[in-house]
């Protein structure tokens, strides 16, 4: 539900960042090297399922879905910051930190822009 033209732009940007976060989570599973002895399917499931639950609300632009996604993204951001710190600035965790921060901020901007107009 998009309530004005600016909301279309912020919704598109949110979708782009959402997909970028998912792609980065997938890429960091395989690069630099998968962890030995751990199922890749299990790793991908643990990484992706919490965010994939918000695919429909994100693609439809539902405000409540954006709000709940923002709460979940905070956990991804926290984990990415810790990983970036412990890896001393490895590109994957740093990229994930930036993308999750941007996803959160753009989702909040979208919620501000996409408020229903009072009649």
């Amino acid at each position: 539900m998009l309530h004005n033209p600016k909301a279309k732009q912020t919704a598109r940007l949110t979708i782009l960042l959402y997909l970028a976060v998912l792609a980065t989570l997938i890429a960091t599973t395989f690069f630099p090297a998968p962890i030995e002895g751990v199922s890749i399917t299990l790793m991908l499931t643990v990484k992706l399922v919490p965010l994939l639950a918000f695919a429909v609300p994100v693609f439809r632009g539902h405000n409540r879905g954006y709000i709940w996604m923002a709460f979940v993204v905070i956990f991804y951001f926290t984990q990415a910051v810790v990983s970036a710190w412990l890896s001393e600035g490895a590109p994957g965790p740093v990229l994930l930190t930036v993308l999750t921060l941007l996803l959160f901020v753009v989702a909040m901007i979208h919620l501000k822009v996409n408020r229903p107009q009072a009649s």
Side-chain angles (χ1 to χ4, degrees):
M1 291 184 227
L2 301 176
H3 296 289
N4 64 54
K6 283 187 180 180
K8 289 181 183 179
Q9 294 174 340
T10 56
R12 283 188 203 118
L13 188 53
T14 303
I15 290 168
L16 178 71
L17 288 166
Y18 176 78
L19 293 173
V21 167
L22 291 175
T24 304
L25 287 169
I26 292 169
T28 56
T29 302
F30 298 103
F31 298 103
I35 299 171
E36 288 188 35
V38 179
S39 167
I40 291 182
T41 306
L42 177 63
M43 286 177 45
L44 287 173
T45 302
V46 169
K47 283 182 166 186
L48 299 177
V49 166
L51 273 182
L52 287 175
F54 300 102
V56 172
V58 167
F59 284 100
R60 290 190 179 165
H62 292 174
N63 286 353
R64 283 191 187 184
Y66 273 54
I67 292 166
W68 283 105
M69 180 195 63
F71 284 122
V72 172
V73 166
I74 291 170
F75 293 110
Y76 283 90
F77 173 76
T78 304
Q79 187 274 332
V81 168
V82 170
S83 292
W85 179 268
L86 292 176
S87 67
E88 298 178 353
V94 170
L95 178 62
L96 192 58
T97 300
V98 171
L99 288 174
T100 53
L101 176 64
L102 288 174
L103 178 58
F104 179 84
V105 170
V106 172
M108 293 299 103
I109 291 170
H110 175 75
L111 290 169
K112 173 88 171 146
V113 169
N114 196 40
R115 279 192 267 180
Q117 301 299 320
S119 329

